[in-house]
Amino acid sequence: MEDILETIEKQQYVSPAELLEFFWNMFVADAFLGNFDRHNGNWGFLYNDETKEAEIAPVYDCGSCLLPQADEKTMDAVLANENELHARVYQFPTSAIKVNGRKINYFDFLVKADNEYCNEALGRIFPRIDLEKVANFIESVPSITDKQRQFYKRYITARYELILCPAFEAIKERGLKLAGSHSDIMR
């Protein structure tokens, strides 16, 4: 985490405040999707050589979201057993980002609500999540099986209900600030 925050502060391509907001928005989205591989090499800038201008790149490299190595056996276990589902929500995947040498557990980090920038990002992102639209999107993907559709919808709903909802409520209950900038920089 320290390296990422230092990189955000020291880079000179875009406003550090704008990039910090983008980073925390992406962190919340990664918590929702169970991304275990977002690190300093998985986000960046688009640079125009002609105008010498840079902008934040859209989110990319999300191949480590939604338990990509879940086979039929894993999907069956998660769909049939609440303990298997909870293990994949509360215990793993963790973030690739480390604090004090340990990978961040999304649930613990978000519910603890100690990072004001993360809290603000949750306040920006959480109200925009529409599980019905997510489910409709999953249903529309032509190249996945019915079991995968069922699995993805269950997994996403569980991460929303068991991680994001309690974190959002914890912030509200503690009277902490929920939203910072109103810019819409998630692309």
Side-chain angles (χ1 to χ4, degrees):
M1 178 70 72
E2 295 82 15
D3 292 343
I4 291 172
L5 297 178
E6 183 179 347
T7 298
I8 289 170
E9 188 60 37
K10 288 185 176 181
Q11 60 77 37
Q12 298 177 0
Y13 294 106
V14 299
S15 155
E18 180 182 358
L19 185 56
L20 186 66
E21 183 176 307
F22 179 85
F23 168 77
W24 285 112
N25 287 349
M26 189 169 50
F27 182 88
V28 171
D30 284 341
F32 177 50
L33 299 174
N35 190 353
F36 58 86
D37 191 39
R38 180 81 59 209
H39 51 76
N40 235 357
N42 290 132
W43 56 281
F45 307 98
L46 299 175
Y47 185 76
N48 185 323
D49 283 329
E50 292 178 20
T51 65
K52 307 295 185 216
E53 295 177 346
E55 64 180 286
I56 300 169
V59 174
Y60 61 90
D61 195 358
C62 297
S64 297
C65 294
L66 304 174
L67 300 176
Q69 274 126 18
D71 57 12
E72 291 278 323
K73 183 178 175 183
T74 301
M75 286 187 259
D76 286 338
V78 169
L79 290 169
N81 185 322
E82 201 77 8
N83 290 334
E84 291 288 335
L85 175 65
H86 285 181
R88 284 155 182 86
V89 171
Y90 293 123
Q91 296 171 349
F92 61 89
T94 57
S95 172
I97 300 167
K98 296 179 180 178
V99 172
N100 299 323
R102 295 186 58 139
K103 289 184 176 185
I104 293 173
N105 175 292
Y106 286 118
F107 174 80
D108 294 340
F109 190 86
L110 289 169
V111 171
K112 198 172 187 184
D114 283 345
N115 186 296
E116 72 176 287
Y117 299 109
C118 186
N119 296 345
E120 291 171 1
L122 186 62
R124 285 187 297 272
I125 301 301
F126 181 80
R128 295 169 54 189
I129 296 172
D130 183 333
L131 289 179
E132 185 175 333
K133 286 183 180 178
V134 172
N136 289 339
F137 173 78
I138 292 168
E139 285 294 328
S140 74
V141 176
S143 59
I144 61 175
T145 67
D146 287 340
K147 183 172 289 185
Q148 287 172 310
R149 284 185 183 88
Q150 184 183 8
F151 172 77
Y152 292 140
K153 289 189 290 186
R154 180 69 181 113
Y155 183 65
I156 288 278
T157 299
R159 293 192 71 82
Y160 177 84
E161 292 174 350
L162 300 174
I163 296 177
L164 298 186
C165 287
F168 190 78
E169 288 304 314
I171 293 167
K172 284 185 2 186
E173 286 173 11
R174 291 175 53 191
L176 300 173
K177 187 175 176 186
L178 271 170
S181 169
H182 296 288
S183 65
D184 183 16
I185 61 174
M186 282 297 284
R187 293 174 179 84

